[in-house]
Amino acid sequence: MDSRSVSVFELKAINAWDKRNFTRGIKSLFLEYCSNSTVHGIKYFGCKRRTLFEKIWWIATFLLSVYGCARLIQNIYRKWDQTPVIVSFAEKSTPVWQIPFPAITICPETKARSEYLNFTEIYFQMNDTYRDQVANDTYDRFRAVAQVCDAHILNGVSLNQTTDPGCVDLLRNVSMPLEAALYYCKWRNDAGLCSDFFTETITEEGICFTFNSQSAGEMMRLDELHSDYEYIAEKRKSPLWTLEHGYAENTDLDTYPVRVLGAGARAGLNVLLNLYQQDTDFICRGPVQGFKILLHTSSEYPQVSKQYYRVPLHQEVIISVKPQMITTSDGLRDYTPERRQCFFNHERHLKYFKVYTQQNCELECITNYTLRQCGCVKFSMPRNDQTEVCGASKIQCYNDAEDELLEEDVKYIVDKTHDYRAKCNCLPACTSVQYDAEISQADLDWKSMFAAYRTSLDEHDGVQFARLTIYFKEAQFITSKRSELYGVTDFLANCGGLLGLFMGVSLLSLAELIYFCSIRPFTILRAYRAKRRESDVFFDPPPIIEKAKDF
C-alpha cells in the first residue's frame, strides 16, 4: 500500500489499530472527524493549539446549544403529536343540494288514546284502590305506557314487572296512528298523504314518525338484531348517498334521502299536526301538550329526549335550518383516530349499526351499560334475541344507569381505567352534519280557517291542530374542514431550522456522523488488514510515518 495515497489521520489510525492500541485508534478517528465535521464548534474539540480552558468553554457552549435545541424540538414534537389537526373554514361555500334535507322525527306528547287506556284514571286507581280492580289487559297497557311517561310520577308505585317482551306491541295498540297525528303534509310545495313521507320509528319516546330517514337495512345490522319488531319501518333505499361521501355524481333531483335545490318555505316541508282533546293526559307527560321535534342526519338513529324542539298545540312553529358540516381531508387518513379525533366509517365497528356516527355509538354504549346494570334494556334500545326488554319495575334502574354513565367522565377524570364511557370510545365521525335552527312561533287560529272554508267541525270532534314548517334558511353554507396543522414536512422543516440555528446541522452533517461511526472505521480496518497481509508475518504496528500537523 502506498503511504502517499492515504491521509495523515488514516495513516495514524492504521498504525494504531491493534488490540493493544485500540484506544489510540478510536482517538485518531475522533480527531479526523473533528477536523472535517461541518457541525459548528466540533472542530475546536481536538485542536491541540487550544488551551484546556478554551476546549472546556467550547464543549460547554456546544452542550448548551444541544440542550436548547433538544428542548425546542421536544416542544415541536409534542405539538405535532398532540394537536396535529386544525379545524378551519373551507375555501368555498357548499350549496344545500349537496346534503340531504334533515331527517325529521315527530313524537306526540299524547302517548295513549283514551278509548284504549285512560292513564290518569288507572294511575289513581293504582294509588287509591287495589290492583285487582284493574283488568289484566288494561294493567299491561298501563305498565307499557308508563315506560314513556315522566319517570318521577311512578315513584312509590309497585308495578311488579321485571321484563316486558310485548311492550312495543302494546304501545302500538294504544298510541296515536300516523294518519291521525299527521293530518296534512306538503313537501316542496306538493301536497300529499303524510304516510307517503313519514314512517314509524321506535324511540325512547314511544311510537314516533320520521321523515327522510335511511332504511333499517342500510343503517343497522339486522343480522345482529332480534326479530320481535322493527325499529325503523322505512323501506326506501339510498344507493347513491352515504354520510361519508355524500351524493354520487350521477344523482338526479328525485333521489333518496330527499334534498332541495334552494332555500325558503316553498322548498321545505309543511305538516299540519293533530291531537284529540279527549286523549290529552296531563299526568303522563305534564302540562305541555303537543309534539317533540328532532332534526338529525338520515343515517342517525333518533334519540328525541336528548335534544328536541317543541310544537305546542294551537301554535304555528317555523324552523329555519342552518346546516353545520365538518369534513376531513384525505391527508389525515394515515393518522390514528386518536390523533385526528374522529373515526372514518370503516375504522370503528358498531355491533348494531352499519353507519358510524357519534350518536349511534353513544346509543350502543348506553345500551351495553344498561344491560350490565339492569340485566335488560329499554324497549327502544337495540338488542339481540338473548337480551330481555325491561319491564315497568325497571324504569328507575335504566334511568339511573343513564345518569351514572354521564357521571363517569367526571368521576374518573384522573384514572380512566374504570371509566365505562371512555371505553366506549365514541369520537365524532370524520364527516358529520348537524342541523341548527332558528325558530319563530305564532298563534294558529285554525277554527277561523275552518269557518272561512265553510267546513264543519262536527266530523273533527276534539281536534287540536298545530302547524310545522321546516326549510333551509340560506341556499349555501360554510363547511368546516379538518386538515393538517403540522404535517411531517412541517415538523422536519421546523426541526431543521432549529438544528441549523443552534449548531449549523443539516442532513449531510448527520450523514457525516453516521459515516464516521460505521463506514470510516470499516475502511480503516480493511486498510490495516491489507497492510498486514503484505508483510506475511505477524508484526507490531509500524511507527507513525508522518507526524500530524497541528490545526
Side-chain angles (χ1 to χ4, degrees):
M1 179 182 295
D2 187 0
S3 62
R4 290 173 299 179
S5 63
V6 296
S7 67
V8 174
F9 286 103
E10 184 174 342
L11 190 60
K12 290 178 65 178
I14 291 173
N15 286 309
W17 204 279
D18 189 86
K19 290 183 179 179
R20 290 170 296 174
N21 299 299
F22 180 76
T23 304
R24 290 172 57 195
I26 295 297
K27 181 180 179 181
S28 298
L29 185 64
F30 174 73
L31 292 176
E32 181 181 2
Y33 171 70
C34 291
S35 64
N36 293 285
S37 176
T38 58
V39 180
H40 295 177
I42 293 290
K43 66 180 180 180
Y44 299 112
F45 292 175
C47 182
K48 293 183 178 180
R49 297 172 61 183
R50 308 289 175 186
T51 64
L52 179 62
F53 173 78
E54 289 178 300
K55 292 182 180 180
I56 293 174
W57 189 89
W58 276 109
I59 291 174
T61 302
F62 179 79
L63 292 177
L64 285 174
S65 296
V66 171
Y67 175 77
C69 184
R71 287 301 300 269
L72 292 178
I73 289 177
Q74 183 183 24
N75 293 337
I76 292 175
Y77 175 79
R78 186 183 298 111
K79 191 171 185 179
W80 174 64
D81 181 63
Q82 296 179 0
T83 57
V85 177
I86 185 172
V87 179
S88 58
F89 292 117
E91 297 82 4
K92 297 180 180 180
S93 58
T94 303
V96 292
W97 54 262
Q98 287 190 3
I99 63 172
F101 197 76
I104 302 163
T105 297
I106 301 176
C107 297
E109 288 286 60
T110 297
K111 301 304 179 183
R113 289 173 288 176
S114 58
E115 59 182 304
Y116 296 108
L117 177 70
N118 189 322
F119 188 87
T120 300
E121 181 182 339
I122 304 303
Y123 173 78
F124 283 108
Q125 287 187 32
M126 294 294 297
N127 281 274
D128 300 334
T129 63
Y130 193 65
R131 152 74 185 93
D132 293 339
Q133 296 182 12
V134 180
N136 288 335
D137 57 342
T138 303
Y139 186 49
D140 290 340
R141 292 173 185 171
F142 176 81
R143 293 188 294 189
V145 173
Q147 297 207 47
V148 294
C149 293
D150 294 335
H152 66 274
I153 66 171
L154 296 172
N155 290 341
V157 178
S158 177
L159 296 174
N160 192 27
Q161 186 191 40
T162 56
T163 62
D164 188 4
C167 180
V168 171
D169 291 333
L170 292 169
L171 288 174
R172 278 203 176 104
N173 291 335
V174 302
S175 63
M176 183 74 69
L178 187 152
E179 294 79 8
L182 309 184
Y183 194 83
Y184 170 85
C185 292
K186 186 167 64 173
W187 164 244
R188 289 198 313 224
N189 215 34
D190 291 330
L193 295 175
C194 291
S195 57
D196 295 335
F197 304 116
F198 287 83
T199 54
E200 281 189 359
T201 302
I202 307 298
T203 75
E204 73 278 21
E205 293 284 327
I207 309 300
C208 299
F209 316 111
T210 302
F211 169 81
N212 208 32
S213 171
Q214 274 192 313
S215 65
E218 291 175 319
M219 186 192 304
M220 310 182 78
R221 302 184 189 277
L222 298 182
D223 55 331
E224 295 287 345
L225 296 170
H226 63 88
S227 57
D228 297 341
Y229 51 84
E230 288 183 322
Y231 289 91
I232 301 172
E234 181 61 68
K235 302 299 180 187
R236 285 172 288 185
K237 303 293 183 181
S238 54
L240 300 179
W241 178 83
T242 61
L243 178 61
E244 197 165 291
H245 301 101
Y247 287 103
E249 292 183 358
N250 60 336
T251 306
D252 57 18
L253 177 59
D254 295 322
T255 185
Y256 195 81
V258 296
R259 55 180 176 172
V260 296
L261 292 180
R266 286 177 59 86
L269 177 70
N270 187 288
V271 185
L272 185 63
L273 305 169
N274 168 52
L275 290 178
Y276 290 98
Q277 186 174 5
Q278 59 268 26
D279 296 330
T280 304
D281 190 291
F282 292 94
I283 293 293
C284 179
R285 299 300 295 183
V288 180
Q289 297 298 307
F291 299 84
K292 287 182 178 177
I293 310 296
L294 173 67
L295 306 183
H296 55 99
T297 59
S298 298
S299 56
E300 180 181 302
Y301 196 86
Q303 300 179 66
V304 183
S305 60
K306 283 194 171 183
Q307 51 182 0
Y308 56 85
Y309 305 103
R310 280 198 181 274
V311 180
L313 295 174
H314 312 294
Q315 294 282 310
E316 179 181 38
V317 175
I318 298 176
I319 299 179
S320 178
V321 179
K322 299 189 299 181
Q324 300 289 338
M325 184 175 182
I326 299 180
T327 60
T328 302
S329 65
D330 291 335
L332 293 178
R333 286 186 175 271
D334 294 333
Y335 284 65
T336 62
E338 288 71 24
R339 291 190 67 194
R340 76 171 99 90
Q341 284 297 294
C342 70
F343 281 115
F344 287 104
N345 193 57
H346 68 278
E347 293 178 321
R348 182 71 168 89
H349 177 84
L350 297 178
K351 182 178 180 181
Y352 297 115
F353 293 96
K354 291 181 180 179
V355 182
Y356 178 84
T357 68
Q358 187 173 29
Q359 289 72 21
N360 289 348
C361 178
E362 289 178 352
L363 175 57
E364 193 164 294
C365 181
I366 183 60
T367 299
N368 295 332
Y369 188 78
T370 301
L371 179 61
R372 189 178 80 166
Q373 297 297 103
C374 305
C376 58
V377 298
K378 193 171 181 176
F379 66 89
S380 59
M381 295 177 176
R383 62 181 180 88
N384 54 29
D385 289 321
Q386 288 73 44
T387 304
E388 298 285 354
V389 176
C390 290
S393 62
K394 290 285 188 175
I395 293 175
Q396 188 66 39
C397 180
Y398 62 63
N399 285 331
D400 289 344
E402 185 172 358
D403 294 338
E404 290 171 8
L405 187 62
L406 293 175
E407 296 171 359
E408 293 275 301
D409 287 342
V410 179
K411 286 174 59 178
Y412 304 108
I413 192 170
V414 177
D415 184 10
K416 293 293 185 181
T417 56
H418 301 291
D419 187 351
Y420 192 92
R421 187 178 172 86
K423 292 177 183 177
C424 291
N425 197 20
C426 292
L427 296 175
C430 287
T431 301
S432 60
V433 182
Q434 180 179 339
Y435 298 96
D436 295 335
E438 293 180 357
I439 298 178
S440 60
Q441 192 170 326
D443 292 334
L444 180 66
D445 191 359
W446 56 271
K447 292 184 179 180
S448 297
M449 183 186 68
F450 271 70
Y453 278 100
R454 298 179 181 179
T455 302
S456 174
L457 293 176
D458 294 339
E459 58 181 295
H460 304 287
D461 183 35
V463 294
Q464 300 177 104
F465 288 119
R467 190 161 67 180
L468 172 67
T469 302
I470 301 176
Y471 56 85
F472 282 123
K473 182 179 181 181
E474 298 174 348
Q476 294 186 334
F477 62 97
I478 301 298
T479 303
S480 299
K481 187 175 184 180
R482 291 186 186 89
S483 54
E484 285 183 312
L485 177 61
Y486 281 105
V488 176
T489 302
D490 302 309
F491 175 71
L492 292 177
N494 286 330
C495 290
L498 290 174
L499 288 169
L501 175 66
F502 281 86
M503 298 180 294
V505 173
S506 66
L507 287 178
L508 290 179
S509 302
L510 299 178
E512 273 183 358
L513 182 61
I514 295 173
Y515 169 74
F516 276 98
C517 290
S518 58
I519 299 176
R520 188 61 177 157
F522 179 73
T523 304
I524 294 176
L525 184 60
R526 285 188 61 188
Y528 168 63
R529 288 177 177 174
K531 190 170 183 178
R532 288 192 60 183
R533 283 197 298 270
E534 289 178 3
S535 64
D536 292 329
V537 294
F538 184 79
F539 62 95
D540 290 329
I544 297 175
I545 297 176
E546 183 178 352
K547 185 177 180 181
K549 296 180 180 181
D550 292 338
F551 55 89

